[in-house]
Amino acid sequence: MARPVSSFRCTECGWTTLKWAGRCGECQQWGTVVDTTEKASLARALKPASVTGAGVARPITHVDTTAVSHWPTGIAEFDRVLGGGIVPGSVILLSGEPGVGKSTLLLEVASKAAAAKSRVLYVSAEESVSQVRLRAERTGALQPELYIAAETDLATILGQIDAIQPNLVIVDSVQTVASSLSDGLAGMPSQVREVASTLIRVAKDRNLPILLVGHVTKDGSIAGPRLLEHLVDVVCQFEGDRQSALRFVRALKNRFGSTDEVGCFEMTGDGIAEVPDPSALFLSRGSTPVSGTCVTVALEGRRAMPVEVQALVIKTQAPNPRRVTNGVDSSRVAMLLAVLERRASLSGLGSMDVYVSTVGGIRLTEPAADLAIALAIASAFKDKPIAQGAVAFGEISLAGEVRPVSAAKLRAAEAARLGFTIRLDAEAGAIGTAVAAAIATGQSARDAELDRAF
């Protein structure tokens, strides 16, 4: 018999080493390197197991899908992200920054499900039962079919599921629940893996949907082993700025639907409210045109939303001009400044302080917003407004060309629905032509307003 060889192995990625290390040298995870004893030159034969009953493989065309259809949660924006609702037996992971509203949203989901005569078990591992009750009173989520338990032990949670027999289980959060079968404190990779795998097995065996709340790290990624995201069926990210009441729910992974959709919510004093048409939240249109503003149509999944971009250009005596951005990529703005100065003949722009921001706290990441950002900067530089009925979307190349963007018809239809009559897009051809056309629309609108006044 071979002599046992002592080694250490990372439970996250499989990296091995002869000495123990607190951090894996491959995946850089902390606390995942454990001692394993392997026997060299030892081969084990795995015997095939007999399969009977419902476990026998059958043609995919004979599989019944009526038991896995979506059932709506009663919150249309959340159902949009999930692909139509919650699928029985699925496990959904909702992550987000502390205080963004994860518990408030899931308590609202639990209340809607309980109001529809479905028994719901809400397991709070971070708050007491009285604290959850106070929040439920404030948000109007008190329902007789909503059961609340404050537990951090996995075995006790499974006992609660056996006793109550719920139709929906919510665990807040998976990083604060511990299992006696795994060593370490709650939140460690081994504990998170054990808790998640056990709950997923319960969900699949009982056809019971389970919603899990997940913590995030400093860089915004989901805390714990990456295996957690692989095990669950749906991974949703709850985003939002603490200074803004607007919240977004995005699907990073969805086995039952598309990951293109985004749900829009607003935090209020009475809880969280849906925003089915968030168009007005990203516009600040006054009665008088102001220079340095331009509207674009951004795509959030398959939803088109108008976003106003504002720019301010001022002279500076500093040797290094400032470039301050909010809601847009700073490197993208720097590139657009160079293109405007070189291709649109805006000489002197590079020696001025430039401030660019979006309205409503939304972040523009797609290249389709290039034209609107460039026109806002040009309008601020020339101190000439763009017409209020104008909307712009297009990608700008280093050669100064305005390129077409994806879903142009959808953007144009949304702009027309909101009353924008002037569209600036790839038909302009070059950035210089687009700047001249945008300034001309503003001048024409101002002349028409003066004619009406006199």
Side-chain angles (χ1 to χ4, degrees):
M1 197 170 189
R3 182 179 179 181
V5 178
S6 178
S7 64
F8 297 87
R9 180 177 181 273
C10 176
T11 57
E12 177 71 16
C13 64
W15 177 74
T16 58
T17 178
L18 296 178
K19 296 182 179 181
W20 180 85
R23 187 177 189 179
C24 175
E26 182 68 24
C27 64
Q28 303 299 317
Q29 293 288 335
W30 288 94
T32 58
V33 180
V34 296
D35 186 10
T36 59
T37 302
E38 300 178 350
K39 295 184 178 180
S41 304
L42 180 62
R44 295 182 179 180
L46 185 64
K47 297 181 179 180
S50 59
V51 183
T52 58
V56 179
R58 57 188 184 274
I60 192 172
T61 55
H62 296 173
V63 178
D64 186 15
T65 60
T66 56
V68 294
S69 59
H70 295 81
W71 59 270
T73 63
I75 303 177
E77 290 296 303
F78 194 47
D79 291 339
R80 178 202 300 270
V81 178
L82 298 179
I86 299 177
V87 175
S90 63
V91 180
I92 302 171
L93 177 64
L94 179 66
S95 65
E97 295 285 342
V100 74
K102 303 182 297 297
S103 301
T104 304
L105 174 62
L106 292 185
L107 188 60
E108 185 70 17
V109 172
S111 174
K112 295 287 186 181
K117 306 304 179 182
S118 296
R119 183 167 295 181
V120 181
L121 174 60
Y122 188 99
V123 180
S124 176
E126 299 178 351
E127 299 177 279
S128 64
V129 174
S130 58
Q131 290 174 333
V132 179
R133 164 68 190 248
L134 288 175
R135 189 169 71 248
E137 289 180 352
R138 178 173 56 87
T139 60
L142 295 178
Q143 298 292 337
E145 289 296 320
L146 176 56
Y147 291 76
I148 302 176
E151 299 291 347
T152 58
D153 181 64
L154 179 61
T156 308
I157 294 175
L158 297 180
Q160 294 279 8
I161 295 176
D162 291 335
I164 298 176
Q165 296 294 319
N167 304 110
L168 174 65
V169 175
I170 299 175
V171 180
D172 185 8
S173 66
V174 68
Q175 277 86 6
T176 54
V177 178
S179 172
S180 59
L181 299 179
S182 180
D183 297 332
L185 300 175
M188 294 187 64
S190 58
Q191 283 285 359
V192 174
R193 186 183 301 107
E194 178 67 25
V195 171
S197 59
T198 302
L199 291 176
I200 290 172
R201 184 171 64 252
V202 171
K204 304 303 180 184
D205 293 343
R206 305 189 182 191
N207 207 28
L208 174 66
I210 298 179
L211 276 71
L212 304 176
V213 175
H215 294 171
V216 296
T217 58
K218 292 181 179 179
D219 59 354
S221 60
I222 300 177
R226 195 72 175 182
L227 182 65
L228 176 62
E229 300 179 51
H230 290 285
L231 290 176
V232 299
D233 299 307
V234 182
V235 178
C236 294
Q237 184 80 20
F238 204 14
E239 304 173 354
D241 190 0
R242 292 186 179 182
Q243 285 73 33
S244 174
L246 200 61
R247 301 290 188 268
F248 293 102
V249 178
R250 308 175 191 271
L252 306 181
K253 171 189 175 182
N254 193 352
R255 290 174 177 168
F256 313 111
S258 172
T259 58
D260 295 333
E261 293 295 345
V262 58
C264 188
F265 299 88
E266 184 178 9
M267 293 296 294
T268 63
D270 298 328
I272 192 166
E274 300 179 68
V275 184
D277 189 8
S279 301
L281 298 176
F282 309 114
L283 297 176
S284 62
R285 313 299 286 170
S287 58
T288 304
V290 180
S291 62
T293 63
C294 186
V295 177
T296 185
V297 179
L299 280 184
E300 292 289 342
R302 290 194 294 267
R303 168 183 285 177
M305 293 186 298
V307 180
E308 182 176 343
V309 181
Q310 297 181 344
L312 179 63
V313 178
I314 59 175
K315 295 181 179 180
T316 179
Q317 302 298 329
N320 296 321
R322 300 187 64 185
R323 303 287 186 262
V324 181
T325 61
N326 182 24
V328 294
D329 188 13
S330 58
S331 60
R332 197 78 181 176
V333 172
M335 185 201 74
L336 293 175
L337 290 174
V339 173
L340 285 172
E341 186 167 8
R342 182 68 175 86
R343 306 296 182 183
S345 301
L346 299 183
S347 58
L349 181 60
S351 59
M352 294 186 174
D353 288 343
V354 178
Y355 303 85
V356 182
S357 177
T358 58
V359 174
I362 192 172
R363 181 166 183 82
L364 295 175
T365 57
E366 55 178 350
D370 287 353
L371 184 57
I373 297 173
L375 293 181
I377 295 174
S379 173
F381 178 77
K382 292 179 174 292
D383 197 19
K384 294 182 179 180
I386 300 174
Q388 288 188 332
V391 64
F393 47 85
E395 180 183 0
I396 298 178
S397 66
L398 293 178
E401 301 173 343
V402 182
R403 296 178 177 176
V405 296
S406 60
K409 293 183 178 179
L410 178 60
R411 300 175 197 265
E414 179 66 15
R417 185 183 72 85
L418 296 173
F420 292 95
T421 57
I422 304 172
R423 189 171 74 248
L424 301 170
D425 51 13
E427 294 183 359
I431 181 60
T433 306
V435 169
I439 299 301
T441 59
Q443 188 64 35
S444 300
R446 178 174 293 182
D447 294 342
E449 186 177 353
L450 292 176
D451 292 341
R452 288 193 300 268
F454 295 99

